Amino acid sequence: MEFESNYSLIKNTSESKAWSSKLPQGLDLEVSHHPITMRHIANLIIAMERLKGGEGVTMGTEFKDKDLLNFLLESAVEEHIVLELESAPPTSRREAGFSSTSQYECSVTDSENKCWVLMSEAMELHAMMLQGGSGYHKVHLNLSTYVTPVPIETKARPVALGIKGSNLYLSCSKSGGRPTLHLEEVANKEQLKSISQQSDMVRFLFYRRNTGVDISTLESAGFRNWFISTDMQQDNTKPVDMCQKAAPNRLTTFTIQRHN
């Protein structure tokens, strides 16, 4: 069998040793020292595929130009893709961030029907039982929802909580050796539209996990297993803060009522 190339099949040559294990028994491959062209390389590939009984190769002693073109294109495209994947940094392929998608107004009450009230001087939120005409003290929040390219949680949704009519946002950061809840002023709200998972801005994000109809827990995105909570007592002296879910005398489930 002969092929259109400057490659020939012979026995017992030093150049063919590396290829002999891949050829049918009794055949060896010698690459001549003539100038090598892309057609020669393609011919060699086709010859090898025929000897191996490869699929998709035109049978016979000759091949068409379109066969050569297909081999070259497939090789070029495949190599391009492999190089891109190998050269891309691992972080760029797996980079996960939080992107804001929507925002709506809401108010929050705990499982004892206590409402969040802003204590401006202390820059704290307290949970109070409001009656009669005192409902205007209830804090209204702007709740922003987020998505990630690769979902981190399947049953929870990242959210940010801002005090309506202000630049104050709830955040969770470590103070006194434990995660605590804070009210922080955000001068540039554009910073909250897209947040990198490794960014310190993650302190403004909480995972809202629904446990019933409009009933949710709010877990810190930066400190997992720490939840926004209110005090079980009615004295109103303790602020809304963070706790671990099993903490005694703390309430971690809330009704989040949407207003628009």
Side-chain angles (χ1 to χ4, degrees), residues 3-4 29 36 48 50-51 76 84 93 110 135 145 150 171 177-178 184 194 228 231 240 243:
F3 300 95
E4 182 189 345
L29 179 67
I36 296 176
M48 292 295 298
R50 288 175 177 173
L51 290 171
E84 279 194 340
R93 298 200 299 268
D110 65 20
T145 59
V150 179
S171 69
R178 62 180 292 273
E184 283 192 55
S194 180
I228 295 179
D231 189 65
V240 180
C243 79

Side-chain angles (χ1 to χ4, degrees), residues 62-255:
E62 299 294 335
F63 67 94
K64 300 177 182 178
D65 286 343
K66 68 177 183 179
D67 297 318
L68 173 61
L69 180 59
N70 288 338
F71 269 98
L72 295 179
L73 288 177
E74 288 174 4
S75 298
V77 171
E78 182 179 357
E79 182 178 3
H80 177 68
I81 294 172
V82 170
L83 288 174
E84 279 194 340
L85 290 175
E86 289 180 351
S87 62
T91 52
S92 68
R93 298 200 299 268
R94 297 193 302 268
E95 185 177 357
F98 301 89
S99 299
S100 178
T101 57
S102 63
Q103 179 178 286
Y104 59 85
E105 181 184 342
C106 67
S107 59
V108 178
T109 56
D110 65 20
S111 54
E112 296 292 332
N113 207 34
K114 299 193 303 294
C115 303
W116 287 4
V117 175
L118 175 63
M119 311 297 287
S120 300
E121 292 184 2
M123 286 288 286
E124 294 176 342
L125 290 173
H126 285 236
M128 298 183 180
M129 190 73 72
L130 300 179
Q131 298 178 349
S134 60
Y136 67 92
H137 290 293
K138 179 191 299 186
V139 163
H140 284 231
L141 303 167
N142 289 323
L143 186 150
S144 301
T145 59
Y146 290 77
V147 294
T148 58
V150 179
I152 300 171
E153 291 285 333
T154 57
K155 296 182 180 180
R157 184 76 178 267
V159 300
L161 299 165
I163 307 296
K164 183 183 177 183
S166 75
N167 291 329
L168 297 176
Y169 281 80
L170 279 69
S171 69
C172 179
S173 57
K174 192 169 278 191
S175 177
R178 62 180 292 273
T180 56
L181 190 69
H182 304 271
L183 287 178
E184 283 192 55
E185 185 170 0
V186 179
N188 182 11
K189 295 182 181 181
E190 293 294 316
Q191 292 178 294
L192 297 176
K193 288 188 175 181
S194 180
I195 298 176
S196 168
Q197 190 177 352
Q198 288 76 36
S199 168
D200 185 51
M201 297 295 286
V202 170
R203 69 184 185 276
F204 292 102
L205 297 179
F206 300 87
Y207 286 116
R208 178 185 178 181
R209 183 179 286 101
N210 294 329
T211 59
V213 179
D214 294 329
I215 299 175
S216 309
T217 58
L218 295 164
E219 179 186 10
S220 169
F223 298 93
R224 305 308 301 270
N225 297 317
W226 284 84
F227 296 81
I228 295 179
S229 65
T230 59
D231 189 65
M232 194 175 291
Q233 304 301 318
Q234 301 289 334
D235 57 11
N236 304 328
T237 59
K238 295 182 179 180
V240 180
D241 203 355
M242 305 301 298
C243 79
Q244 293 184 304
K245 198 167 187 179
N249 302 320
R250 301 294 296 183
L251 304 173
T252 58
T253 57
F254 301 95
T255 298

